[in-house]
Amino acid sequence: MATSTQPRTPNRWQVGRLVERRVETATAQTLVLEVPDWPGHLPGQHVDLRLTAPDGYQAARSYSIAGPAVDGPGGPRIEVTVQRVHDGEVSPYLIDVFSAGDPVEVRGPLGGWFIWRSEETAPVQLVAGGSGIVPLMAMIRARRAVGSKAPFRLIYSVRTPADVIYADELRRRVRDDFGLDVAYVYTREAPDGWRGEPHRIGLADVNTHGWPPDLEPLTYVCGPTAFVETVADLLVGLGHPSRRVKTERFGPTG
């Protein structure tokens, strides 16, 4: 789930339906929604999903869009990746109850700040914490879809190897997408053969695996608030202009 500090552009609610789901980790799933009147979106934008109970009670949450829209037999399809939130109100329903063909109200696309445009040629560095990978993966997927040659570097911080969302796809993209590099930081348990001990992301990680400031990269950081603030401070401390460091944070509600 992603939120932005930027004001949202008003959009009308429309009905989408679940057509497919993919298990990403033990706690995260990707939902493919068919939204017939979808207007299109840019990588990094998000949507609001709203559920209505039989008694009329409504609950809405924001979720980052995970990749470019694709055409389906009933109209455009978009993907959102949902991370289960303990004691959450919406995410457990979307993961455990929401079934193929079920409707959900969709509003979007939302957000005009935390986006990557395909005409950009500057190097891009992406720094993700946990499910903060979702809008950054949308940028990686869009880069491949449009044939961009802009070099990308991703630093992905997770608790354990089992918590890596899109793990198989990231391995394939590192192999097949020329100009994409991915480095991992493990905070609780590292895989066999990984150099170093589990730790929280720090200066050495950003300095080693990111772009140097003299290349003037575009930087996108997404994750929990404390993670985002730490990484943003590290980047600015290394000499990256704050105006080229875009951040998005997600909160505990689910």
Side-chain angles (χ1 to χ4, degrees), residues 67-236:
V70 298
D71 292 331
R77 295 180 175 186
I78 62 171
E79 298 184 5
V80 297
T81 300
V82 178
Q83 178 86 52
R84 181 192 298 276
V85 176
H86 180 64
D87 293 332
E89 189 175 39
V90 174
S91 61
Y93 177 88
L94 291 176
I95 288 177
D96 297 330
V97 181
F98 196 43
S99 300
D102 285 353
V104 62
E105 288 184 280
V106 181
R107 182 172 63 183
L110 302 170
W113 164 250
F114 195 80
I115 58 173
W116 177 73
R117 297 181 184 275
S118 60
E119 60 267 26
E120 292 282 0
T121 58
V124 173
Q125 57 185 357
L126 312 171
V127 188
S131 59
I133 185 64
V134 180
L136 308 186
M137 192 65 176
M139 298 177 190
I140 292 172
R141 289 168 168 169
R143 173 185 182 270
R144 175 61 182 264
V146 300
S148 169
K149 302 301 182 184
F152 272 40
R153 288 184 176 177
L154 167 66
I155 306 172
Y156 188 6
S157 175
V158 290
R159 294 178 179 177
T160 74
D163 295 307
V164 176
I165 300 174
Y166 316 125
D168 290 341
E169 182 179 353
L170 283 171
R171 281 191 289 269
R172 293 196 306 270
R173 289 191 178 277
V174 168
R175 181 193 66 202
D176 299 337
D177 291 11
F178 180 77
L180 170 65
D181 294 312
V182 178
Y184 295 93
V185 175
Y186 300 97
T187 62
R188 293 190 181 179
E189 176 188 332
D192 293 339
W194 190 68
R195 297 180 62 182
E197 296 294 326
H199 62 275
R200 294 188 182 277
I201 194 167
L203 180 63
D205 302 298
V206 176
N207 197 31
T208 301
H209 302 297
W211 294 108
D214 58 345
L215 293 182
E216 299 185 344
L218 291 170
T219 301
Y220 301 86
V221 186
C222 186
T225 296
F227 173 89
V228 169
E229 291 177 349
T230 295
V231 173
D233 287 346
L234 290 171
L235 289 164
V236 173

